[in-house]
Amino acid sequence: MNNFAGMVLFSKFGQSNDRLRKLEFMNGYKPLHLFSAVLVLLLGLTFPKFASCQTTYQDYLNKGNSKDSLKDYKGAISNYDEAIKLEPVKPDAYYYKANAEFDLLDYQQSVKDYSKTVLLNPDYAEAYFNMANSLYELKKYDESISNFTKFISMKPSVAEAYYDRANASVKNKDYNSAIDDYKQAFTINPKYFQSYYDLGNLYFNLKMFHEAVENYNQVVKLAPKDYHAFFNRAMAEFNLDDANAGCEDLNKAKELGDPEAEEFLNELCAEP
């Protein structure tokens, strides 16, 4: 078997979160309102003047939300803009518009509209959360953390907020804060295996391999068919000079479909 004592083997996978997540709180999106929006649209085709006089702020919101649910984000934004023209001091249309912009990966514009939302309603917690994710995508990690913190101050029991803030802290190389937040995420939700996984990766990159293994152990328990944790636990075990455990985990990763596990098995576990 190859001699790997003293080697630092690196995990293949970084943070598990793809970041493209936003909270959805679509106030007023109810069947009755949607029916009303459709009715106004039909009337408008026959009686254009009636439609122009009767289409309300809520109608535009409902039509925008309907288009958003169909992933017609540009169409949704057009309707939210019409709502904003009618009621420029109401926050919901800005919020929904920002969500659609987020889905279009237009993070700069989404930040502007989330900012407008909280300017009009400083208690609009979800806007802070989603704005934090937009700022993360823009690599503005300090501002992202600030907005996650604002959301947490308003809704302290949402595990995802601590997890996402931890990811931003990792980008800022504030590892102690990240560790605290990853732990808080799975304290709130013990089944939040993504938080164990990314904490394991952080410990791995800090060369704290025992701690990395402990967290990968939790991922394996909660997501036993995910080969990523088996592979990364194997790398930590090799760094701890535990070849038997490392090879066993590589074999498991291979069984679960890891396309690269066999290469590492041949390199690290083959007889000399």
Side-chain angles (χ1 to χ4, degrees), residues 241-272:
D241 294 334
D242 190 347
N244 290 333
C247 292
E248 183 178 340
D249 274 341
L250 281 179
N251 271 304
K252 185 63 176 180
K254 178 183 175 182
E255 290 174 11
L256 292 170
D258 187 334
E260 298 182 48
E262 186 169 3
E263 176 185 347
F264 283 85
L265 279 165
N266 292 336
E267 180 180 351
L268 299 172
C269 301
E271 293 295 330

Coordinates of all heavy atoms in Angstrom, one line a residue, residues 241-272:
D241 N -3.6 9.1 8.8 CA -2.9 7.8 8.7 C -3.8 6.6 9.0 O -3.3 5.6 9.4 CB -1.7 7.8 9.6 CG -0.6 8.9 9.2 OD1 -0.6 9.2 8.0 OD2 0.2 9.3 10.0
D242 N -5.1 6.7 8.8 CA -6.0 5.6 9.0 C -6.3 5.1 7.6 O -7.4 5.4 7.0 CB -7.2 6.1 9.7 CG -8.1 4.9 10.2 OD1 -7.9 3.8 9.7 OD2 -9.0 5.1 11.0
A243 N -5.4 4.3 7.0 CA -5.6 3.8 5.7 C -6.8 2.8 5.5 O -7.5 2.9 4.5 CB -4.3 3.0 5.2
N244 N -7.0 2.0 6.5 CA -8.1 1.0 6.4 C -9.5 1.8 6.3 O -10.3 1.4 5.4 CB -8.1 0.1 7.6 CG -7.0 -0.9 7.6 OD1 -6.4 -1.2 6.5 ND2 -6.5 -1.3 8.8
A245 N -9.7 2.7 7.2 CA -10.9 3.5 7.1 C -11.0 4.3 5.8 O -12.1 4.4 5.2 CB -11.0 4.4 8.3
G246 N -9.9 4.9 5.4 CA -9.9 5.7 4.2 C -10.3 4.8 3.0 O -11.1 5.2 2.1
C247 N -9.7 3.7 2.8 CA -10.0 2.8 1.7 C -11.4 2.3 1.7 O -12.1 2.1 0.7 CB -9.0 1.6 1.7 SG -7.3 2.1 1.3
E248 N -11.9 2.0 2.9 CA -13.3 1.5 3.1 C -14.2 2.6 2.6 O -15.2 2.3 1.9 CB -13.6 1.2 4.5 CG -15.0 0.6 4.8 CD -15.2 0.2 6.2 OE1 -14.2 0.0 7.0 OE2 -16.4 0.1 6.6
D249 N -14.0 3.9 3.0 CA -14.9 4.9 2.5 C -14.7 5.2 1.0 O -15.7 5.5 0.4 CB -14.5 6.2 3.3 CG -15.3 6.3 4.7 OD1 -16.3 5.5 4.8 OD2 -14.9 7.0 5.5
L250 N -13.6 5.1 0.5 CA -13.4 5.2 -1.0 C -14.2 4.1 -1.7 O -14.8 4.4 -2.7 CB -12.0 5.2 -1.4 CG -11.1 6.5 -1.2 CD1 -9.7 6.2 -1.6 CD2 -11.8 7.6 -2.0
N251 N -14.2 2.9 -1.2 CA -14.9 1.8 -1.8 C -16.4 2.2 -1.7 O -17.2 1.9 -2.7 CB -14.7 0.5 -1.1 CG -13.5 -0.2 -1.7 OD1 -13.5 -0.5 -2.9 ND2 -12.5 -0.5 -0.9
K252 N -16.9 2.7 -0.6 CA -18.3 3.1 -0.4 C -18.7 4.2 -1.4 O -19.7 4.1 -2.0 CB -18.6 3.5 1.0 CG -20.0 3.8 1.3 CD -20.9 2.5 1.1 CE -22.3 2.8 1.5 NZ -23.2 1.6 1.3
A253 N -17.8 5.2 -1.5 CA -18.0 6.3 -2.5 C -18.2 5.7 -3.9 O -19.0 6.1 -4.7 CB -16.9 7.3 -2.4
K254 N -17.3 4.8 -4.2 CA -17.4 4.2 -5.6 C -18.7 3.4 -5.8 O -19.3 3.6 -6.8 CB -16.2 3.2 -5.8 CG -16.2 2.5 -7.1 CD -15.1 1.5 -7.2 CE -15.1 0.6 -8.5 NZ -14.1 -0.4 -8.5
E255 N -19.1 2.7 -4.8 CA -20.4 1.9 -4.9 C -21.6 2.9 -5.1 O -22.5 2.5 -5.7 CB -20.6 1.1 -3.6 CG -19.7 -0.1 -3.4 CD -19.9 -0.7 -2.0 OE1 -20.9 -0.4 -1.3 OE2 -19.0 -1.6 -1.7
L256 N -21.5 4.1 -4.5 CA -22.5 5.0 -4.6 C -22.5 5.9 -5.9 O -23.4 6.7 -6.1 CB -22.5 6.0 -3.4 CG -22.9 5.3 -2.0 CD1 -22.6 6.3 -0.9 CD2 -24.4 4.9 -2.0
G257 N -21.5 5.6 -6.7 CA -21.4 6.3 -8.0 C -20.4 7.4 -8.1 O -20.5 8.1 -9.1
D258 N -19.5 7.6 -7.2 CA -18.5 8.6 -7.3 C -17.6 8.3 -8.6 O -17.0 7.2 -8.6 CB -17.6 8.6 -6.1 CG -16.7 9.8 -6.1 OD1 -16.3 10.3 -7.2 OD2 -16.3 10.3 -5.0
P259 N -17.6 9.2 -9.6 CA -16.9 8.8 -10.8 C -15.3 8.9 -10.7 O -14.6 8.4 -11.5 CB -17.3 9.9 -11.8 CG -17.7 11.1 -10.9 CD -18.3 10.5 -9.6
E260 N -14.9 9.4 -9.6 CA -13.4 9.5 -9.4 C -12.9 8.7 -8.3 O -11.6 8.6 -8.1 CB -13.0 11.0 -9.1 CG -13.4 12.0 -10.2 CD -13.0 13.4 -9.9 OE1 -11.8 13.6 -9.5 OE2 -13.8 14.3 -10.1
A261 N -13.7 8.0 -7.6 CA -13.3 7.2 -6.4 C -12.3 6.1 -6.8 O -11.3 5.8 -6.1 CB -14.5 6.6 -5.7
E262 N -12.5 5.4 -8.0 CA -11.7 4.3 -8.4 C -10.2 4.8 -8.6 O -9.3 4.1 -8.3 CB -12.2 3.7 -9.7 CG -11.5 2.4 -10.0 CD -12.2 1.6 -11.1 OE1 -13.2 2.1 -11.6 OE2 -11.6 0.5 -11.5
E263 N -10.1 5.9 -9.2 CA -8.7 6.5 -9.4 C -8.0 6.6 -8.1 O -6.8 6.3 -8.0 CB -8.8 7.8 -10.1 CG -7.5 8.5 -10.3 CD -7.6 9.9 -10.9 OE1 -8.8 10.3 -11.4 OE2 -6.6 10.7 -10.9
F264 N -8.7 7.1 -7.1 CA -8.0 7.3 -5.8 C -7.8 6.0 -5.1 O -6.8 5.8 -4.4 CB -8.9 8.2 -4.9 CG -8.7 9.7 -5.3 CD1 -9.5 10.3 -6.3 CD2 -7.8 10.5 -4.6 CE1 -9.4 11.6 -6.6 CE2 -7.6 11.8 -5.0 CZ -8.4 12.4 -6.0
L265 N -8.7 5.0 -5.3 CA -8.5 3.7 -4.8 C -7.2 3.1 -5.4 O -6.4 2.5 -4.6 CB -9.7 2.8 -5.1 CG -10.9 2.9 -4.2 CD1 -12.2 2.3 -4.8 CD2 -10.6 2.3 -2.8
N266 N -7.1 3.2 -6.7 CA -5.9 2.6 -7.3 C -4.6 3.3 -6.8 O -3.6 2.7 -6.7 CB -6.0 2.8 -8.8 CG -7.1 1.9 -9.4 OD1 -7.4 0.9 -8.8 ND2 -7.6 2.3 -10.6
E267 N -4.7 4.6 -6.5 CA -3.5 5.3 -6.1 C -3.2 5.1 -4.6 O -2.0 5.0 -4.3 CB -3.7 6.8 -6.4 CG -2.5 7.7 -5.9 CD -2.8 9.2 -6.2 OE1 -3.8 9.5 -6.9 OE2 -1.9 10.0 -5.7
L268 N -4.2 5.1 -3.8 CA -4.0 5.1 -2.3 C -4.2 3.7 -1.7 O -3.7 3.5 -0.6 CB -4.9 6.1 -1.7 CG -4.7 7.5 -2.1 CD1 -5.8 8.4 -1.5 CD2 -3.4 8.1 -1.7
C269 N -4.9 2.8 -2.3 CA -5.2 1.6 -1.7 C -4.7 0.3 -2.4 O -4.9 -0.8 -1.9 CB -6.8 1.4 -1.6 SG -7.5 2.8 -0.6
A270 N -4.0 0.5 -3.5 CA -3.4 -0.6 -4.2 C -2.2 -1.2 -3.4 O -1.5 -0.5 -2.8 CB -3.0 -0.2 -5.6
E271 N -2.1 -2.5 -3.5 CA -0.9 -3.1 -2.9 C 0.3 -2.7 -3.6 O 0.3 -2.6 -4.9 CB -1.1 -4.6 -2.9 CG -2.2 -5.2 -2.0 CD -2.0 -4.9 -0.5 OE1 -0.8 -4.9 -0.1 OE2 -3.0 -4.7 0.2
P272 N 1.5 -2.5 -2.9 CA 2.7 -2.1 -3.6 C 3.2 -3.2 -4.5 O 3.0 -4.4 -4.2 CB 3.7 -1.8 -2.4 CG 3.1 -2.6 -1.3 CD 1.6 -2.6 -1.5

